[in-house]
Amino acid sequence: MTQQISINEVPAHGLAVTQAADIDVARLDLEVDAVVIGSGAGGAIAAYELAKAGKRVLVLEAGPYIPSEQFSEMMAVSMDTLYQDHGAQANASGDISVLQGACVGGSTVVNAALCFRTPDYYLELWAKKFGLSNLTPEVMAPYFDKVEANLHIAPNAPHESSPGARLLKQGIENLGLPAGNAKRNIKNCAMTGFCFAGCVSDRKQSMLITYLPWAVAHGATIYADTRVTRILAEGDQANGVEAEVIDQQNGEVKCRLTVTAPLVVVAAGPIQTPLLLQQSGLANTSGQVGKNFACHPTLSITGMFEQDVDNFYGATHSLYMDQNVMPEEGGYLLLDAIQDPVEASFQAEPGTGEPYMAYMSRYRNSVRLITLIHDKNVGEVNWKNGTKEIIYLVDDQDFEIMKAGLKTNARILFAAGAKQLYIPSSQPLTIDDESQIEAVIDGLANEPARYRYTSFHPQGTCRMGADPTSTVVSPSGETHDVKNLYVVDASLLPTSIGYNPSETVYALAHYICDQINQAHA
């Protein structure tokens, strides 16, 4: 294991990580107090809280360690190096890109840094429907306070708003709708607009520059390039993991690793966590591991303006419109989002050849507005014949919610001054006048592979709740079936929550680690 550093030595830059290139033996056997699988939102916080409590902690991350100075700020390159499946992870029908980070720091390295507290509505729903009476708004408030302070989560300053967001805000206000000012975990934003490609300037307060260095300063060790293949258990007690250290250059196994640990914390994400439990044959007497998958499918309408907008710098998300976000009020959230040319090229379908070149030549005139829906937990994630399978189709009722959101989206864009709108369909589809909104969007049919959905928010798959027959994880974060096996990622969420879930995961990870430290002092 790598040498531990003093709690007084938090480097200003860089992170101590053991990588495949550092290992020259075919086998390693390690013994620690706690092994954490995954280094993203939940895993990094778990590593910090457990190490701070005096435990010997080992973090195993399947992805590579890429320090921020190596971020390319080119979306195509970042997709290949920082994202799960090189950015190609998708549902089985191929119409929803399910984007996740796959690197040290996880999705926090490549997300837009947008943060929302979990609405009281969902905490109360979870208490009533899933027996999570421990997660009251009063109990969770200090955890939200903690992560907001630690990660500098604060509303955007006026100067951070992107040019397109300023136009959209005027459109929202012209329609008499409320414009929300986004909160982000950013410190002195450089406004380069490259959040999705990794923040070179370290202004985004991702796990890469916050909780992971803090964990290392308390003695935690991080292994990158290390894929856990099996969680070990004796009887009903977890006691370690088996893993493989993978050479990132050729994909070959360089070292086999066995870790003995009385505590196993899984934070591999809502796709990989259920797959690992399935491969390990653990924690599934309920039959719910991998079930109840939700992902906040989104569609972006791109508006074309007469003037150059240059909406490619500033906060990735500057504003939102959530008047209709609660299920009883519509079930959709609208978000502005800047986009680089690579994103712009696949967010709409203008056609090929001359129509495509004409569309991209107006890139500087374009502004997109996202419709994100609170979806039902209708999907599942399976390990089938040695392959990952994400089964998810947008529910018919959810699609009607999407259409309602798209109509509001379109009205805002026209009210902001757009002259033409592009619908992200598999065939060229535009709205050329405000009078066409109802007819065009009412004409959309819920058909697989017809639309260009994107999801940054996989959730569910290891549902948390009091009933061991219908949920996977107990209210304390420990799996019902296997003692000392905890889950601290978005797979816990009993339902989709309608907003970006990162702050929910941050707060739940802190809460669960308090339960772990109390039970294993």
Side-chain angles (χ1 to χ4, degrees):
M1 296 175 64
T2 57
Q3 183 179 358
Q4 296 180 352
I5 62 177
S6 164
I7 60 172
N8 297 316
E9 296 178 23
V10 180
H13 181 72
L15 186 60
V17 178
T18 298
Q19 305 175 67
D22 301 320
I23 297 175
D24 56 7
V25 295
R27 180 164 187 85
L28 275 174
D29 295 284
L30 304 176
E31 183 175 349
V32 293
D33 298 320
V35 59
V36 178
I37 305 167
S39 65
I45 289 175
Y48 166 70
E49 288 289 4
L50 299 181
K52 188 177 68 168
K55 295 177 175 61
R56 296 172 300 154
V57 175
L58 174 63
V59 180
L60 303 180
E61 167 59 54
Y65 170 53
I66 301 178
S68 55
E69 66 267 18
Q70 294 181 20
F71 295 158
S72 69
E73 294 193 330
M74 295 178 65
M75 194 65 185
V77 174
S78 298
M79 283 280 191
D80 183 52
T81 56
L82 298 174
Y83 282 76
Q84 184 69 43
D85 297 350
H86 308 288
Q89 181 171 263
N91 62 337
S93 58
D95 60 342
I96 304 178
S97 295
V98 184
L99 298 174
Q100 288 182 288
C103 56
V104 172
S107 293
T108 71
V109 174
V110 295
N111 69 14
L114 188 61
C115 291
F116 295 94
R117 291 194 177 197
T118 316
D120 292 353
Y121 172 95
Y122 291 104
L123 297 177
E124 292 162 1
L125 174 67
W126 296 347
K128 180 179 179 180
K129 189 172 180 181
F130 298 98
L132 296 177
S133 56
N134 55 317
L135 302 180
T136 64
E138 295 73 23
V139 167
M140 294 305 296
Y143 293 103
F144 291 124
D145 290 342
K146 177 185 290 189
V147 298
E148 287 172 3
N150 286 348
L151 297 176
H152 294 269
I153 296 171
N156 285 325
H159 72 276
E160 293 175 333
S161 187
S162 70
R166 291 192 287 270
L167 286 173
L168 291 170
K169 183 178 181 182
Q170 188 61 57
I172 290 171
E173 293 175 348
N174 287 345
L175 295 177
L177 298 171
N181 185 21
K183 292 183 178 181
R184 300 182 300 145
N185 54 295
I186 298 286
K187 188 175 182 181
N188 301 322
C189 184
M191 299 186 296
T192 61
F194 291 114
C195 275
F196 295 138
C199 183
V200 170
S201 64
D202 283 345
R203 309 299 177 90
K204 178 162 62 174
Q205 302 298 286
S206 73
M207 298 298 106
L208 187 62
I209 66 166
T210 55
Y211 281 88
L212 288 174
W214 303 342
V216 170
H218 282 284
T221 301
I222 303 171
Y223 273 52
D225 309 323
T226 304
R227 180 178 61 207
V228 176
T229 57
R230 185 180 170 212
I231 298 169
L232 303 175
E234 185 172 349
D236 65 349
Q237 302 276 334
N239 62 2
V241 303
E242 293 177 347
E244 298 171 339
V245 179
I246 307 296
D247 188 322
Q248 294 288 342
Q249 300 301 313
N250 57 28
E252 295 180 357
V253 176
K254 188 172 185 181
C255 174
R256 299 192 186 277
L257 181 68
T258 299
V259 181
T260 301
L263 276 173
V264 178
V265 180
V266 190
I271 309 294
Q272 286 71 34
T273 288
L275 294 178
L276 180 56
L277 292 177
Q278 290 171 8
Q279 289 172 279
S280 304
L282 295 175
N284 199 22
T285 59
S286 65
Q288 296 300 300
V289 170
K291 308 294 186 184
N292 311 304
F293 174 77
C295 64
H296 286 172
T298 69
L299 290 176
S300 302
I301 295 182
T302 298
M304 286 294 180
F305 290 73
E306 289 184 335
Q307 72 276 25
D308 290 344
V309 180
D310 292 338
N311 194 40
F312 46 75
Y313 65 91
T316 306
H317 295 305
S318 298
L319 84 162
Y320 60 90
M321 201 293 288
D322 66 349
Q323 176 175 279
N324 307 98
V325 71
M326 291 303 163
E328 292 84 354
E329 298 166 349
Y332 64 85
L333 175 72
L334 301 187
L335 296 167
D336 88 296
I338 65 174
Q339 61 182 349
D340 72 4
V342 173
E343 287 181 276
S345 71
F346 60 72
Q347 285 293 342
E349 177 49 78
T352 59
E354 186 174 335
Y356 175 79
M357 295 301 293
Y359 172 81
M360 287 305 297
S361 71
R362 293 187 293 160
Y363 162 67
R364 296 183 63 187
N365 304 66
S366 67
V367 176
R368 68 167 167 162
L369 185 59
I370 294 172
T371 299
L372 178 156
I373 64 170
H374 162 81
D375 56 328
K376 296 181 179 64
N377 295 72
V378 297
E380 60 183 88
V381 176
N382 296 314
W383 186 250
K384 184 177 180 181
N385 299 323
T387 304
K388 169 177 58 182
E389 181 182 56
I390 303 172
I391 301 174
Y392 181 93
L393 295 174
V394 175
D395 177 83
D396 285 341
Q397 291 182 348
D398 286 345
F399 189 72
E400 293 305 310
I401 292 171
M402 178 67 79
K403 287 164 64 174
L406 291 174
K407 289 178 182 179
T408 305
N409 181 329
R411 293 188 186 101
I412 290 170
L413 281 161
F414 277 123
K419 300 304 180 183
Q420 185 182 44
L421 309 183
Y422 284 82
I423 305 294
S425 170
S426 59
Q427 298 296 321
L429 182 62
T430 62
I431 301 176
D432 301 314
D433 185 84
E434 190 170 0
S435 64
Q436 300 175 357
I437 291 174
E438 294 287 332
V440 171
I441 295 178
D442 281 342
L444 302 180
N446 187 22
E447 299 173 355
R450 184 169 178 179
Y451 308 101
R452 296 190 171 189
Y453 292 103
T454 301
S455 165
F456 262 107
H457 308 151
Q459 299 162 63
T461 66
C462 292
R463 181 176 270 174
M464 189 182 200
D467 183 359
T469 67
S470 60
T471 62
V472 178
V473 176
S474 77
S476 69
E478 187 176 41
T479 63
H480 289 296
D481 295 353
V482 183
K483 303 304 178 186
N484 303 336
L485 176 60
Y486 290 82
V487 178
V488 292
D489 58 37
S491 63
L492 292 170
L493 302 188
T495 67
S496 168
I497 59 173
Y499 288 95
N500 299 51
S502 56
E503 189 169 349
T504 298
V505 175
Y506 299 147
L508 280 174
H510 272 293
Y511 173 84
I512 291 169
C513 286
D514 277 355
Q515 312 312 303
I516 296 173
N517 284 328
Q518 290 169 17
H520 303 273

